[in-house]
Amino acid sequence: METSDPSLAQLGWKPFFSEQLSAEQRSHCQPVRVMSVHRGRVTVLGEGFEDSISSNLATPGGAEDRPTVGDWLLIDRDTSSLVRILDRTSLFKRPAPGDHRRVQLIAANVDTLFIVTSCNQDFNIARIERYLVLSREAGVRPVVVITKADLSPDPQRFVDAARELQSGLRVELVDGRDPTSAARLAGYCGLGETVALVGSSGVGKSTLVNTLRGSDSIATQAVREDDGKGRHTTTVREMHRLVGGADEGGWLVDTPGMRELQMSDVATGVTEVFDDVTAVTLECRFSNCTHGDEPGCAIHAAMAAGNIDPARVERWRKLAQEDAVNSGAAAVRRSRPEKPGNRR
């Protein structure tokens, strides 16, 4: 994390946040942004202020009513205690691995999501689609960043495969260790902009952050040659500032690699990412068609005619069913009071 004293504008402050402040809060509270999250505490940065404070609200709420990296907080000017979490422009979250009754917050107030993959065994269409669903649901611009271009004899085939996922999808091919190659990504990280990087361990997220910052402060590790997998080098979600030149004030959020990415409350995102499939379903004879053995199923007709990829339909079906199951579980969870001992 950069420790110099940035302005609110450089931190990403926008009218959306200032409009939430009452006159009393303007006089007694200071806005700060969450740079990193640790158990029970958050590191925050504001104009002339940097500290680690308790993340506990005076009146605790549900799982989403606790700060995550990228959040804007109001703290008391005299006591530095947390007063409130400002409403977010965007929020990335997922069901907690191993316990879908809980939700894990990933990052808030993100402008662009770098979906980072690489030119090796990590490249996985289904995984990219899952990140695209998260991005569309949050209303954040997705960019697929394909790293390790120097390791493939034909890196363009990875670019072509990613671009086929969605019309107009931005795809960037880079060598994350080469400043000249990575420089094309700097345009997404302008003054006050926040870019989060997500992807599996070993795809080069931390290397990319180091290169864009002109630093080697974030530890990196090599991947295993036999399966292309890497270890979890990044263990904490943390914001890193880009400094120098026209890009001064941009922020990068490095996130730990995710082995499991379950979907919940992302029906809109699924519809947008698979708009070609959902458009066909509107032509089914029955509105409640399950696209199984029903007569007049437009999905089956389109697959038989070669107009739609059966593998893509199967991925859509799996994500839609997963979202329905997990969203139902989330609704039950929200209807129950949260016990203090379960807050994480």
Side-chain angles (χ1 to χ4, degrees):
M1 181 188 69
E2 186 70 29
T3 57
S4 61
D5 186 14
S7 66
L8 285 181
Q10 287 176 320
L11 281 166
W13 185 257
K14 296 176 173 63
F16 174 84
F17 303 113
S18 59
E19 290 167 0
Q20 300 178 44
L21 276 61
S22 66
E24 181 179 2
Q25 288 172 337
R26 291 177 188 275
S27 61
H28 293 96
C29 297
Q30 175 169 359
V32 295
R33 197 167 190 196
V34 177
M35 297 288 106
S36 61
V37 178
H38 308 274
R39 185 174 293 274
R41 302 189 69 81
V42 291
T43 301
V44 297
L45 186 62
E47 286 187 334
F49 184 91
E50 181 179 13
D51 202 355
S52 173
I53 66 172
S54 170
S55 60
N56 295 324
L57 284 165
T59 306
E64 294 182 21
D65 295 326
R66 60 178 184 265
T68 189
V69 64
D71 262 326
W72 279 98
L73 313 179
L74 289 185
I75 61 172
D76 187 284
R77 292 186 184 275
D78 297 325
T79 65
S80 295
S81 59
L82 175 56
V83 175
R84 63 173 289 201
I85 304 170
L86 295 183
D87 292 343
R88 297 146 170 153
T89 60
S90 63
L91 176 64
F92 287 102
K93 60 183 180 178
R94 64 169 176 168
D99 184 359
H100 296 167
R101 296 170 298 177
R102 296 189 299 110
V103 64
Q104 183 183 64
L105 306 184
I106 300 171
N109 301 314
V110 172
D111 300 297
T112 301
L113 185 72
F114 281 175
I115 302 169
V116 186
T117 184
S118 52
C119 296
N120 57 15
Q121 299 95 318
D122 177 81
F123 189 88
N124 183 293
I125 289 296
R127 186 186 302 118
I128 295 173
E129 284 174 335
R130 285 175 176 263
Y131 284 121
L132 286 174
V133 166
L134 280 183
S135 179
R136 296 299 185 187
E137 187 68 31
V140 170
R141 172 177 59 181
V143 179
V144 177
V145 179
I146 305 177
T147 62
K148 305 184 181 180
D150 57 314
L151 299 183
S152 172
D154 183 20
Q156 187 60 39
R157 67 185 179 91
F158 296 100
V159 175
D160 295 339
R163 284 180 175 155
E164 288 179 359
L165 292 177
Q166 201 168 34
S167 176
L169 178 62
R170 296 170 181 259
V171 181
E172 302 283 358
L173 178 66
V174 301
D175 176 356
R177 299 172 302 175
D178 180 1
T180 301
S181 177
R184 72 187 65 175
L185 302 177
Y188 299 101
C189 315
L191 177 67
E193 293 289 301
T194 301
V195 177
L197 292 83
V198 294
S200 304
S201 300
V203 297
K205 299 188 300 295
S206 297
T207 296
L208 196 56
V209 172
N210 281 339
T211 301
L212 287 168
R213 297 181 69 238
S215 165
D216 59 358
S217 60
I218 305 174
T220 61
Q221 290 183 343
V223 300
R224 298 193 298 258
E225 293 184 4
D226 56 344
D227 59 6
K229 296 184 181 298
R231 297 179 179 178
H232 288 282
T233 304
T234 300
T235 57
V236 182
R237 287 178 289 277
E238 185 173 4
M239 294 183 66
H240 304 275
R241 186 182 179 193
L242 287 180
V243 295
D247 298 316
E248 178 122 0
W251 296 88
L252 300 171
V253 182
D254 193 14
T255 65
M258 300 181 192
R259 292 192 179 97
E260 179 182 353
L261 186 60
Q262 288 283 315
M263 298 285 102
S264 178
D265 296 324
V266 292
T268 300
V270 171
T271 299
E272 291 185 5
V273 171
F274 293 88
D275 55 354
D276 55 333
V277 179
T278 54
V280 174
T281 66
L282 299 178
E283 301 173 10
C284 290
R285 180 185 302 177
F286 303 108
S287 60
N288 62 345
C289 182
T290 64
H291 319 296
D293 299 326
E294 295 94 336
C297 175
I299 288 289
H300 277 278
M303 289 192 295
N307 295 329
I308 193 167
D309 181 8
R312 181 165 168 81
V313 171
E314 183 57 31
R315 295 195 301 270
W316 162 75
R317 190 196 305 271
K318 181 178 180 180
L319 280 175
Q321 291 174 344
E322 183 179 304
D323 175 60
V325 171
N326 289 341
S327 297
V332 171
R333 181 187 66 239
R334 287 192 292 266
S335 68
R336 298 172 178 169
E338 187 174 12
K339 298 179 180 180
N342 291 339
R343 300 187 76 229
R344 300 183 183 179

